[in-house]
Amino acid sequence: MPDALAQLADLLGPRLVTTEADRRLHGQNETWYPETLPSAVAYPETTEEVSAILKICHAKSLPVTAYGAASSLEGQHLALNGGLCLDMARMNRLLSVTPEDLLCVVQPGITRKRLNEELRATGLFFSVDPGADASLGGMAATRASGTTAVRYGTIRENILGLEVVLADGTVIRTGSHARKSATGYDLTHLMIGSEGTLGIITEMTVRLHGQPEAVAAATCRFGSVEEAVNCVILTIQSGIPMARIELLDQFMVRGFNLYSKSALPEVPHLFLEFHGSSAAVAEQMASFGEIAEEFGVSGWQTATQAEERNALWAMRHNAHYASAALGAGAGGGHVWPTDTCVPISRLAEAVTWAQEKTVEMGLTATIVGHVGDGNFHVGLSVDPEDKAVMARAESFAHALGEKALSLGGTVSGEHGIGIGKQHFMADEHGTAVATMRAIKTALDPTNILNPGKLLPPA
Amino acid sequence: MPLAKALDDLQAFLGERLSTAKPDLDAHGLSESYFAPAPPDAVAWPETTEEVSRILQICARHGVPVTGYGAGTSLEAQAQALQGGVTVDFARMNRVLTLRPADMDVTVQPGVTREALNEELRATGLFFPVDPGANATIGGMAMTRASGTTTVRYGTMRDNVMGFEAVLADGRVIRTGSRARKTAAGYDLTALLVGSEGTLALVTEITLRLHGIPESISAGICAFPDMASAVNAVMDTIQMGIPLARIEFVCRETARAFNAYAGSNMAALPHLLVEFHGSPESVAQDAARFAEIVADHGGSEFQWSSNTEDRTALWAMRHNGYYAILASRPGARAIVTDICVPISQLARAVEETQADIAASGIPGPILGHVGDGNFHAILLIDPENTDDLDRAKALSTGMAERALALGGTCTGEHGVGIGKKAFMTAEHGEAWSIMGDLKIALDPGNILNPGKLVPGN
C-alpha cells in the first residue's frame, strides 16, 4: 500500500495529499456516521490522470472512493476501507454548451449552482435541484433528484451520456448527444446511481431546459398533513404540471422558524412553484387553487419576485439544518435522514403512518417531502452518543422502509443506499441483489471501487 | 443430442404448447426486413412465469439457445433464431394484470400489444403513449427500447417502463424497479434490461407508466420549400418550449408516395405533420405560435384541426408510410435505416443523406421523428439485383458513420440485432466489450438470443 501511494505521489506530485488535516476534511459527512479518514487524497485534473490513478490502484488493490461536494446523506463519499479519496474538485469545468441541442458537457466536479450561473446568459438551465449545492458527478452517482423532479425528472432523465473510468483504468464513453438511442446496453443508466462502485465519472453530457417565461411560487396551509397530501395526490392525478410541490409538516415549520427566523404558523404547509407562459402559470395556479379549496386550504401567499422565491426555496433547502436545529434543543443536533418514496395513491397513508409512529416512539422528527413524486423525508433528531435514541431511530427507520416496500415503494427515492440502507437491499430487491453483485464482480473484480457501499456484505 | 433431450423435457410439461412443426418454425424464422430466414428448432408458448423459468432451466442445462418472440415486427432480426434452439413465443402471456388508475401505472404480460393495451385502457381516461407505428408487443418494445412518433412528448420505452419481472438465463426470477415514481436504491437493472434484446433475460411482467388522455388534441400539416427550412422550424419550436406531442418530417418523395397510395393531395414538397396535446385553449395557442414559426421559415399556412377523423386520417397515412413507400417501387424490398443525431445536426444529416441517395440511383424516401433528431431512409431495392443490395448497404453504412461523426447514434429506435453490430465498435469503442462482459456475467452459457447485440457470440 505505501508502494501505491509512492507511485501516486510520483504521478500527481503535490496533488496527492496525505496530511491529517486534509484526510480529516474528507472524512466528514452530513449525517451521523463517524469520521472516516482515507489514507490519502488525490486531486486529478484530467481523465488521463484518473485512468493512471486507477491503473495503479487496481494493480495494488488500493480502494478508491470518489468525492464531490460531500453533501451525500448515506456516507457514499466516505473511504470505509481507507485507501484513496479521489476529490474531483479540480475537474469542475463547463466544457461546452450547445444551446440548439439543449445540452452541455461538464466535468463531474462542477456544482449545480455554478453550472446554472455559467448558463445564465444562454436562457437555459440545469433543472435537477437536490437542495445542497452538490457536484454533478455526485448527483449522477447517487441518482439525485429533488424539488423539481416532479416536472423535469431526476438526474436519470437529464443525462445523455458519460465518460467513465473503469476499475482497471479503461476509459469508456456511454450514450451520445442524440436525444435517444437503441444501441446496446444502457451503460449510462447502469452507471447513474451506482455510487462510484462501478466506475469513476469524468465527463457528463447533461440535458438543459429553457428558462420558463414566467415563474410563480406560493405557500399555503392545511389543517392536517393528511389534507395537504390528499391535495397533492389530486393535483398530480389531475395532470397539473407542477414545477415544485413540497410538503412540510408542523414540526418542520417549527424548525424553519428556529433556523431561518421565519414566522410561519406551525401547521402543515405546501410550498409550490409554477412554470410556463404567464397565461399558463395563472391557469395552473387557478386549477391548483380549486383543488386546494376542497381540502380546506388557508393562508395562501404568492411570490412572483425572484428575491421572495429565492428566500422561500433557501428556507426549504436548509431543511436538513433546520431539522438539526430543532433537535439541538432536545439534545440532538444530528439528523438521521429517511428517504422513502411510494406510489402517489399511498402517500397519505405513508406520511400519516410516519408522523403517528414518530410521536408514538417519542422521537423528535420533521417531515418534508417532494410529495409530487411520492417521496418524503422524516428527519429524526439524534445524538450519536445516546444509544437509546439511536436504537429507536434505527427501529423507526427500518419500520418506515418496510412500510414503503409494503406499499409498493422504495426505501430510497433519491439519497441512495451508501452505508445506511444496505440492510434493505434484500427486502427491496430479493434475488436481484445477486444480479447486481454479478455486475459489480464483472466490472470491478477486485472490489477496489468504493468497497463497502451499496451492496450488502455477501 | 442435447437439443433432443431438451425438447423431450420441454414437451413433457408444455405438451401441445411446444411445436416442432415446420410451418410454425418457418413462421417464427422470418424477419420484417431483408434478413434471411432463421427458424428455431422448436417454438414454445408458455403461459406463466414459472413455465418460462422451467424452459430456461432446461435450456441452460442442455446449452440450447432461447430467443424471445413478440409480434415479429422488429426490424433488425431481434426475434430470429440465428442459432436455432427454442423460440419462446409470448402470445399466450398477453394479459393486462393490474391496472392502477390512481397511480397512473399498469402491470402487463409481455405478449400484450400496444393497441390491445390502449383498448383496455379506454374507459380509464389513461393511455400508453409509446407508438412505434407497428402494433408491436409491449415485451418486444421494451426489449428493443422502442420509441416512435410520440417520443418527443412522452419519451421512449426507457422512460415509460418502471419495472420488470424477468427470468434470467439459469431460470432464476428477479424483480426490478419500483412502483414509486423514482428510486435511488441500487443498480438500475430496469434500464439495463430495456433495450437488451433478450440477451440478458426474458421479461415476464412489465410495469408501465400511463398518461392522462389530453382534454384536447389538435393536429395539422404544412409544407416547406426545402428540407432545411422544415428542420429549422422544428428546432425553433423545440427551443421556444412549445410542447409538441408529435412532429414528423416527410420528404417530397414520401409526399408523392402518400398521394399515390392514400389518395392524398399533398404538394410535392417536404412536409411536417404535427400534433399538440393539452386544454382546448393551450392547443389553440400552441398551434398559433407554431404557425408563426412555420411562416418565418417560408412554410405554407399551417392547417390544423381538433376533429378526430381528420387526425386519425393524418396519422394513418403516416403509419402507412412504409407501405406507401414500398408501393412506389413495385416488387421492391426495403432496407430501413434509423440514425438519430443531435437536432442541431439534423438538417445537415438529412441533406447529406439525400445527396448520397440521389447519387446511388436507389430510391430512398425519408421520413422521421424529427423532434428527436431521428429519421429513416427507406431504401428500395430490387431483390433480384445483388448490386442494389450492395449499394443500399453502402448507403446504410455511410449514414451510420455520418451519424456518429455528428455526435449521434446508428440506431435511434430499431436496435442492434444483427444488422447494426458492424457499427458497435465505431459507436461504443471499449464500451462494447464491457457490454460483452455484462452479457457473460448474466448469461455465462450464452443461451439467450446468441448472435445478437454483443461482440463475438
Side-chain angles (χ1 to χ4, degrees):
Chain A
M1 199 133 115
D3 186 20
L5 292 184
Q7 286 184 35
L8 291 167
D10 282 348
L11 177 74
L12 297 166
R15 289 186 285 107
L16 183 80
V17 182
T18 54
T19 62
E20 181 167 345
D22 213 22
R23 290 164 52 219
R24 178 153 276 168
L25 182 69
H26 288 81
Q28 309 304 315
N29 70 96
E30 286 280 348
T31 46
W32 56 271
Y33 300 110
E35 184 178 75
T36 310
L37 270 53
S39 313
V41 182
Y43 297 87
E45 290 182 341
T46 63
T47 301
E48 293 66 38
E49 279 187 356
V50 174
S51 171
I53 290 167
L54 280 165
K55 279 182 185 141
I56 292 168
C57 294
H58 189 247
K60 304 291 181 186
S61 293
L62 184 70
V64 180
T65 301
Y67 185 100
S71 52
S72 61
L73 294 176
E74 293 295 351
Q76 281 94 341
H77 62 285
L78 294 176
L80 283 188
N81 299 30
L84 189 68
C85 171
L86 203 57
D87 186 327
M88 305 306 275
R90 297 175 82 105
M91 291 180 69
N92 65 346
R93 282 184 305 138
L94 168 60
L95 297 175
S96 64
V97 188
T98 321
E100 55 273 32
D101 293 321
L102 300 173
L103 61 83
C104 67
V105 179
V106 302
Q107 289 184 315
I110 194 168
T111 66
R112 64 173 186 89
K113 287 187 186 169
R114 189 48 214 299
L115 174 60
N116 275 326
E117 254 157 53
E118 296 210 26
L119 290 171
R120 193 164 287 172
T122 63
L124 302 173
F125 77 109
F126 168 68
S127 63
V128 187
D129 174 9
D133 189 19
S135 70
L136 265 77
M139 289 170 67
T142 54
R143 207 181 293 129
S145 52
T147 54
T148 59
V150 62
R151 172 72 167 261
Y152 300 98
T154 73
I155 194 104
R156 182 181 190 265
E157 287 79 35
N158 284 285
I159 291 186
L160 287 169
L162 300 170
E163 179 186 75
V164 179
V165 181
L166 300 176
D168 64 0
T170 303
V171 181
I172 62 168
R173 286 190 163 271
T174 74
S176 78
H177 285 195
R179 289 166 70 98
K180 66 182 191 186
S181 169
T183 48
Y185 303 154
D186 191 344
L187 299 181
T188 306
H189 287 89
L190 183 62
M191 290 293 163
I192 293 173
S194 66
E195 304 186 2
T197 64
L198 298 179
I200 304 292
I201 296 168
T202 48
E203 210 179 282
M204 317 166 56
T205 303
V206 176
R207 249 182 141 136
L208 304 174
H209 301 268
Q211 281 169 9
E213 185 188 316
V215 177
T219 64
C220 56
R221 310 198 288 264
F222 292 85
S224 69
V225 159
E226 192 174 2
E227 282 167 318
V229 173
N230 281 324
C231 172
V232 173
I233 293 173
L234 195 54
T235 301
I236 297 300
Q237 288 173 346
S238 307
I240 300 173
M242 300 301 299
R244 288 176 155 132
I245 185 162
E246 298 284 307
L247 169 76
L248 310 100
D249 80 344
Q250 59 270 40
F251 304 108
M252 187 72 253
V253 175
R254 185 177 301 162
F256 285 159
N257 287 344
L258 273 172
Y259 184 83
S260 299
K261 312 284 180 254
S262 53
L264 296 166
E266 291 178 5
V267 296
H269 277 65
L270 289 179
F271 285 9
L272 313 160
E273 196 163 274
F274 304 90
H275 292 181
S277 65
S278 308
V281 164
E283 190 184 308
Q284 290 165 28
M285 284 178 85
S287 306
F288 175 82
E290 277 172 34
I291 291 172
E293 285 296 324
E294 291 179 40
F295 298 98
V297 70
S298 66
W300 180 265
Q301 304 224 329
T302 55
T304 46
Q305 297 304 311
E307 299 77 45
E308 295 172 88
R309 290 202 316 271
N310 291 345
L312 180 69
W313 296 116
M315 180 164 72
R316 163 63 189 90
H317 284 340
N318 283 322
H320 188 73
Y321 305 107
S323 296
L326 185 67
H334 284 75
V335 177
W336 183 311
T338 70
D339 181 34
T340 47
C341 186
V342 298
I344 195 90
S345 69
R346 314 308 292 271
L347 185 61
E349 182 182 349
V351 172
T352 48
W353 181 92
Q355 201 180 53
E356 284 165 16
K357 194 82 178 168
T358 53
V359 172
E360 178 192 315
M361 293 179 75
L363 287 159
T364 303
T366 58
I367 295 181
V368 60
H370 316 307
V371 278
D373 304 324
N375 184 205
F376 66 97
H377 309 297
V378 182
L380 303 165
S381 295
V382 294
D383 171 2
E385 303 299 315
D386 184 338
K387 296 279 182 293
V389 168
M390 289 297 277
R392 268 185 291 154
E394 186 175 2
S395 156
F396 170 79
H398 191 81
L400 178 62
E402 297 298 330
K403 180 76 180 174
L405 294 178
S406 76
L407 298 175
T410 174
V411 299
S412 177
E414 57 182 16
H415 295 168
I417 299 296
I419 306 169
K421 298 215 160 44
Q422 287 176 23
H423 60 286
F424 288 116
M425 286 292 278
D427 288 345
E428 176 152 353
H429 298 292
T431 46
V433 175
T435 308
M436 294 186 199
R437 207 181 294 286
I439 290 168
K440 167 72 172 169
T441 306
L443 297 192
D444 179 22
T446 56
N447 192 26
I448 62 163
L449 290 172
N450 211 1
K453 307 288 170 59
L454 195 145
L455 286 166
Chain B
M1 212 36 205
L3 176 69
K5 185 71 187 70
L7 295 186
D8 281 351
D9 290 357
L10 292 171
Q11 190 90 58
F13 77 97
L14 289 168
E16 285 183 355
R17 290 187 285 111
L18 185 81
S19 171
T20 52
K22 189 157 185 310
D24 283 332
L25 305 183
D26 287 347
H28 287 81
L30 298 176
S31 109
E32 276 275 317
S33 41
Y34 63 95
F35 302 105
D41 296 299
V43 181
W45 284 272
E47 291 181 342
T48 62
T49 300
E50 293 64 38
E51 285 187 351
V52 175
S53 172
R54 284 181 74 178
I55 291 169
L56 279 164
Q57 286 173 43
I58 291 166
C59 290
R61 195 176 327 126
H62 297 287
V64 171
V66 178
T67 303
Y69 189 98
T73 53
S74 61
L75 293 173
E76 295 293 354
Q78 283 92 344
Q80 286 186 293
L82 287 192
Q83 300 178 16
V86 178
T87 286
V88 177
D89 185 327
F90 284 99
R92 298 176 79 105
M93 290 179 71
N94 66 346
R95 282 183 305 134
V96 174
L97 297 174
T98 318
L99 173 62
R100 308 171 198 89
D103 292 319
M104 301 174 77
D105 69 43
V106 66
T107 300
V108 303
Q109 289 185 313
V112 70
T113 64
R114 64 174 186 87
E115 287 179 6
L117 173 60
N118 276 322
E119 199 64 39
E120 292 215 28
L121 293 175
R122 190 164 287 177
T124 65
L126 299 171
F127 78 115
F128 176 68
V130 185
D131 174 9
N135 188 21
T137 62
I138 298 298
M141 287 167 66
M143 287 298 95
T144 53
R145 206 180 293 128
S147 50
T149 55
T150 60
T151 293
V152 64
R153 172 70 170 258
Y154 299 99
T156 71
M157 283 306 276
R158 196 194 80 212
D159 307 301
N160 286 285
V161 173
M162 302 177 78
F164 288 117
E165 177 188 75
V167 184
L168 300 175
D170 60 6
R172 272 180 304 160
V173 180
I174 63 168
R175 286 189 166 272
T176 74
S178 162
R179 286 212 308 108
R181 291 166 70 96
K182 64 184 191 187
T183 168
Y187 301 153
D188 192 344
L189 298 181
T190 306
L192 183 64
L193 291 181
V194 172
S196 65
E197 302 186 4
T199 63
L200 297 178
L202 292 180
V203 298
T204 46
E205 265 184 32
I206 304 157
T207 298
L208 299 169
R209 203 174 275 235
L210 301 175
H211 300 261
I213 293 174
E215 194 188 337
S216 185
I217 300 177
S218 67
I221 187 165
C222 52
F224 289 84
D226 50 59
M227 186 274 314
S229 309
V231 171
N232 288 331
V234 174
M235 261 167 56
D236 281 3
T237 309
I238 288 176
Q239 275 173 41
M240 286 184 65
I242 299 174
L244 294 156
R246 288 174 152 134
I247 186 152
E248 297 287 305
F249 169 79
V250 300
C251 73
R252 71 185 75 221
E253 289 76 21
T254 305
R256 280 199 202 101
F258 283 167
N259 289 343
Y261 186 82
S264 54
N265 188 23
M266 292 164 73
L269 287 171
H271 283 71
L272 290 176
L273 284 59
V274 185
E275 190 167 280
F276 300 101
H277 292 180
S279 66
E281 300 80 37
S282 78
V283 297
Q285 193 188 43
D286 293 341
R289 290 171 75 198
F290 178 69
E292 283 173 28
I293 293 172
V294 171
D296 286 348
H297 290 277
S300 68
E301 189 191 347
F302 177 59
Q303 300 168 327
W304 62 277
S305 162
S306 295
N307 177 301
T308 310
E309 289 79 49
D310 294 346
R311 274 194 296 114
T312 309
L314 183 70
W315 296 116
M317 183 169 79
R318 167 62 186 90
H319 281 335
N320 285 323
Y322 177 75
Y323 302 104
I325 289 167
L326 211 52
S328 71
R329 187 179 181 188
R333 291 193 69 181
I335 291 189
V336 183
T337 67
D338 181 35
I339 67 171
C340 186
V341 297
I343 196 128
S344 64
Q345 306 298 319
L346 183 61
R348 183 175 160 190
V350 176
E351 245 162 26
E352 292 181 7
T353 297
Q354 283 181 324
D356 282 1
I357 291 172
S360 77
I362 291 180
I366 285 176
L367 66 181
H369 315 307
V370 280
D372 308 323
N374 183 207
F375 68 92
H376 310 296
I378 316 287
L379 305 173
L380 296 171
I381 60 170
D382 173 358
E384 308 298 315
N385 183 343
T386 55
D387 193 41
D388 260 21
L389 181 62
D390 291 345
R391 278 186 291 165
K393 280 186 173 168
L395 280 172
S396 171
T397 302
M399 271 181 253
E401 286 168 353
R402 177 172 302 120
L404 297 181
L406 296 175
T409 173
C410 68
T411 173
E413 56 184 16
H414 295 168
V416 178
I418 53 178
K420 296 280 188 300
K421 274 177 80 174
F423 307 121
M424 290 295 273
T425 299
E427 179 155 349
H428 297 292
E430 283 280 351
W432 197 33
S433 69
I434 300 305
M435 294 183 200
D437 292 347
L438 291 171
K439 163 76 171 169
I440 291 167
L442 298 193
D443 178 21
N446 191 26
I447 63 164
L448 288 169
N449 212 359
K452 313 283 171 65
L453 198 147
V454 288
N457 68 347

